[in-house]
Amino acid sequence: MKRIFAVMTFLVLTISLAEAQRLPEIARPENYKLTFTPDLGSAKFEGDETLTIRVLKPTSEITLNAADIDFHDVTIASGGATQKAKVTPQKEHEMVVLGVAKPLAAGLATIHITYAGILNNEMRGFYLGKDDQGRKYAATQFEATDARRAFPSFDEPDYKATFDISVVADKGLATISNEKVVSDTPGPGDKHTVRFATTAKMSSYLAALVVGNFDYLEGQADGIPIRVYATTGKKEMGKFALEAAEYTLTYYDKYFAIKYPYGKLDLVGLPDFSAGAMENTGCITFRDVLLLIDEKQGSVDLKKTIATVITHEMAHQWFGDLVTMKWWDDVWLNEGFATWMESKPVEAWKPEWNLNLDDVSNTGGTLNVDSLANTRPIHQAADTPAQIQELFDGIAYGKAAAVLRMLESYLGEETFRAGVNAYLNQHKYANATAEDFWDAQANTSKKPVDKIMPTWVQQAGAPIVNVKVQCSGNSTSVALTQQRYYFDRAKFEAPNDQIWQIPLCLKGSSNDNSAPKCELLTKKEESFTLPGCSTWVLGNAGGAGYYRVGYQPEAVRALAKDAETKLTPAQRISLENDIWGSVRVGREPVGDYLAFAQGLQSDRNRAVLEDLLGGLGYIGRHLVNDNDRAEYRTWLIQLLAPAMKDVGWEPKPGEPDEQKALRARLFNALGYDARDPQAMAEARKIADKALADPSSVDHELAGGAFAIAALNAGPDFYNKVMAGLKNPKSPEEYYMYFFTLPEFSDPKLLQRTLDYAISHDVRSQDALQLVTGVLANPAGQQLAWDFIRQHWSELEKAGGPFASAQVVGATSVFCDPGLRDQVTEFFSAHKVAGAERTYKQSIERINNCVNLKTQQEPQLASWLGQHGNAGGQ
Ligand SMILES: [Zn+2]
């Protein structure tokens, strides 16, 4: 599954309140024969299931998972006799017990079940959606524990089986499932019956079915037919995705050295979809904005996102689908791997996008989550559906990916790939654990991977490696110490005996022409020697480390001076994160961070500046007080103006994608964070042009332009944006208008946005994004918070029954003790299932921000006093 962390934030998937309960190990499924007859009009379906099982020991009871299933007839055949089964539901465990009078012998048995289910509107199980024209469709979303809503099943990842799926659908409706169509015959009545080929052995959460009005574009790669499906009328927007998928399939065939293991590949864009995308075997489903794009007008940003969502889900076809984690406590094996892998094919396909640098930047973002006391280890026990769902977080995705990247860099690309290949071959069409993965890597590489990995996977948090440098004669001694890093200063300074085995690479200021020295730090304190006399030594020279580096203050200043000339872009991004980490715990004054930013004034690397602008945005938003705001903004304008001048305000024909993306970043920072009058005037010009003729602007600048224009705009502009929402040409255009709605400053308009969010005009997966958008807008913070509390019962229902966890997470934007107390009070009285850790993290983030502000505000004011008006170098 793919979570969306950027603008289109992920809605936490639906979570059930059911209690912990695992199926008893009495029987295993071999084959499911399933026929679904959905009735889109009445939102119901009929099911006919023939389930072949292997009984492991004699029993008179078979337990299956089932939820919201209405059983008609159930029989079990074994040893030539067929018995009627008594059906005893165990609702609280989402299970059903099928009992027979005469015990079943060990060996094969066949369960036949006829039943009815509901096409729900919760975007889980088998559910009903609607396209822009109001036409209904039915689709499935099973991960993690919702296959049981579509058919009684052994709904745990370890129970793999083959599937023969058929569907009886209204004439004219397209039907898509995991495998190719083997027959499509008219009847019964005015319907048609479609039978799909038998699937490979797979887990129940990977089965899929879509029925509705869809068109497709078709291509192929390595002999595998690939289709991109869109709701009728939109298929042309699937061109980019098709190209990406074709490239990726060939790439993965080579990388994994195992050919794509299924008969075909479909990519299906769905208007109503709770997650970002889902890797169902051979039938990947997407939220449509993450698949369909107008190639000419579409932004580079969205193209990058679409490409990486596709490569992520396609990586799962091997990592997740072919080899599956034994239980959800190792879901990181799926998600961390796919997140790590997603950049590789895109880097090969579009090297000009510099995705490798975004990986470095993302590592910094993940370290921020892992610097909270309320983080969790990568490997985490989970039993209930709610606990399982909470594991799909930044740790399973981002941290696991970053740790794999560090491991790959330590072993070498080819050795790591050979280990992956050995692991996949050992466990294909079956299941595996974390230990299986690192044992395969240890065997292939003959390096202590099985010692290194548990220190990252089993314990929570991340280390900071403190670097102390001393030059004597013609060599430099580098003393390293490791300790767990916390944003919370008291915790950071308290003794802590956690130790990691850290693969790291060192490079000194005098080692210009030599490769970094790579070592494994296994103790609390260790010293290494580098040739030459260096004033500073980089502690994460490859940028591949999942740790922070703590430099001595004089080294920070020397590094800042040399950053532009001596460091690679990846090293500059790592250094930015490291200096910021030192500011956060009070080792460095915030002025050193701003001085570092000034040192990068001639940097034109999109990824480096993007990273830096993130930090400067945070400072502007949280640490600058009202008295200093104007001065900070002036300083920011002076800092960014030269880069903007170089890049130019207007897009140039044929310019590189990175330049387009950099222009958009600078434009947003100048307009939004710095309130630069020129950028604000430009923004209004672009937005007005887009409103008059949406096809006249490219989407690169338009999204930001609308948000900036909204800052000073009134009801007229608001109404035009609303009107734009009614008839967009592409999903991207729709969201361009949509995400403008929370950005106004006028409270009356923000109130309209909040009311609109809970109206029927907003898709349920999008509703909370408007509310949390207003919450993140300083002009709307109190308004949104009051609204949330007043309308809690409605919001709890929006976006699926448990998407409200997203609201809990969004309160972390507060930086104020009064609001923190209100959050505590409110969520103590209104407990949100599956958001326990999220709640603790939000409170911790607010506290961290309040403390940082108290500590750095005066220092920031005095730094601005000295440097603000002078600006520049
Ligand atoms: Zn995934």
Side-chain angles (χ1 to χ4, degrees), residues 1-3 143 277 279 312-313 316 334-335 338-339 392 397:
M1 207 160 23
K2 176 74 179 182
R3 295 192 45 169
E143 192 177 21
E279 68 267 22
H312 177 105
E313 302 306 332
H316 275 312
N334 278 12
E335 297 307 344
T339 304
F392 287 81
Y397 286 73

Coordinates of all heavy atoms in Angstrom, one line a residue, residues 1-3 143 277 279 312-313 316 334-335 338-339 392 397, ligand 1:
M1 N 0.8 -1.2 0.0 CA 0.0 0.0 0.0 C 0.9 1.2 0.0 O 2.0 1.2 0.4 CB -0.8 0.0 1.3 CG -2.1 0.7 1.1 SD -3.3 0.3 2.4 CE -2.4 -0.4 3.8
K2 N 0.4 2.3 -0.5 CA 1.2 3.5 -0.6 C 0.5 4.6 0.2 O -0.6 4.9 0.0 CB 1.3 4.0 -2.0 CG 2.1 5.3 -2.2 CD 3.6 5.1 -2.0 CE 4.3 6.4 -2.2 NZ 5.7 6.3 -2.0
R3 N 1.2 5.1 1.2 CA 0.7 6.3 1.9 C 1.2 7.5 1.2 O 2.2 7.5 0.6 CB 1.3 6.3 3.3 CG 0.8 5.1 4.1 CD 1.1 5.3 5.6 NE 0.7 6.6 6.0 CZ 0.7 7.0 7.2 NH1 1.0 6.2 8.2 NH2 0.4 8.3 7.5
E143 N -6.5 -4.7 2.1 CA -5.4 -4.6 3.1 C -5.8 -3.6 4.2 O -6.3 -2.5 3.8 CB -4.1 -4.1 2.5 CG -2.9 -4.3 3.4 CD -1.6 -3.9 2.8 OE1 -1.5 -3.2 1.9 OE2 -0.6 -4.4 3.4
A277 N -2.5 4.1 -3.0 CA -2.6 3.1 -4.0 C -2.5 1.7 -3.3 O -2.0 1.7 -2.2 CB -1.5 3.2 -5.1
E279 N -1.4 -2.5 -3.9 CA -0.6 -3.4 -4.8 C -1.3 -4.7 -5.1 O -0.6 -5.7 -5.2 CB 0.8 -3.7 -4.1 CG 0.7 -4.5 -2.8 CD 0.7 -3.7 -1.6 OE1 0.2 -2.5 -1.6 OE2 1.1 -4.2 -0.5
H312 N 6.6 2.0 -6.7 CA 6.4 1.5 -5.3 C 5.4 0.2 -5.4 O 5.8 -0.9 -4.9 CB 5.8 2.5 -4.4 CG 5.4 2.1 -3.0 ND1 6.2 2.4 -1.9 CD2 4.4 1.4 -2.6 CE1 5.6 1.9 -0.9 NE2 4.5 1.2 -1.2
E313 N 4.3 0.4 -6.0 CA 3.3 -0.7 -6.1 C 3.8 -1.8 -6.9 O 3.6 -3.0 -6.6 CB 2.0 -0.2 -6.7 CG 1.3 1.0 -5.9 CD 1.2 0.7 -4.4 OE1 1.0 -0.4 -4.0 OE2 1.2 1.7 -3.6
H316 N 6.1 -4.0 -5.0 CA 5.4 -4.9 -4.2 C 5.0 -6.2 -4.9 O 4.7 -7.2 -4.2 CB 4.0 -4.3 -3.7 CG 4.2 -3.4 -2.5 ND1 4.8 -3.8 -1.4 CD2 3.6 -2.2 -2.3 CE1 4.7 -2.9 -0.5 NE2 4.0 -1.9 -1.0
N334 N 7.5 -5.3 3.6 CA 6.7 -4.9 2.5 C 7.0 -3.4 2.2 O 7.4 -3.0 1.1 CB 5.2 -5.1 2.7 CG 4.7 -6.4 2.4 OD1 5.5 -7.4 2.3 ND2 3.4 -6.6 2.4
E335 N 6.6 -2.6 3.2 CA 6.5 -1.2 2.9 C 7.9 -0.5 2.9 O 8.1 0.4 2.1 CB 5.6 -0.5 4.0 CG 4.2 -1.0 3.9 CD 3.6 -0.9 2.5 OE1 4.1 -0.2 1.6 OE2 2.5 -1.5 2.3
A338 N 9.5 -1.5 -0.5 CA 8.9 -0.8 -1.7 C 9.2 0.7 -1.7 O 9.4 1.3 -2.7 CB 7.4 -1.0 -1.7
T339 N 9.3 1.3 -0.5 CA 9.6 2.7 -0.4 C 11.1 2.9 -0.8 O 11.4 3.9 -1.5 CB 9.4 3.2 1.0 OG1 8.0 2.9 1.4 CG2 9.7 4.7 1.1
F392 N 1.0 1.1 9.7 CA 1.3 1.7 8.4 C 1.7 3.1 8.6 O 0.9 4.0 8.2 CB 0.1 1.5 7.5 CG -0.1 0.1 7.0 CD1 -0.8 -0.8 7.8 CD2 0.3 -0.3 5.8 CE1 -1.0 -2.1 7.4 CE2 0.1 -1.6 5.3 CZ -0.5 -2.5 6.2
Y397 N 7.4 2.8 6.7 CA 7.8 3.2 5.3 C 9.1 3.9 5.3 O 10.1 3.4 4.8 CB 6.7 4.2 4.8 CG 5.4 3.6 4.4 CD1 4.5 3.1 5.4 CD2 5.0 3.4 3.1 CE1 3.3 2.5 5.0 CE2 3.8 2.8 2.7 CZ 2.9 2.4 3.7 OH 1.8 1.8 3.4
Ligands
ZN1 ZN 3.3 -0.1 -0.1

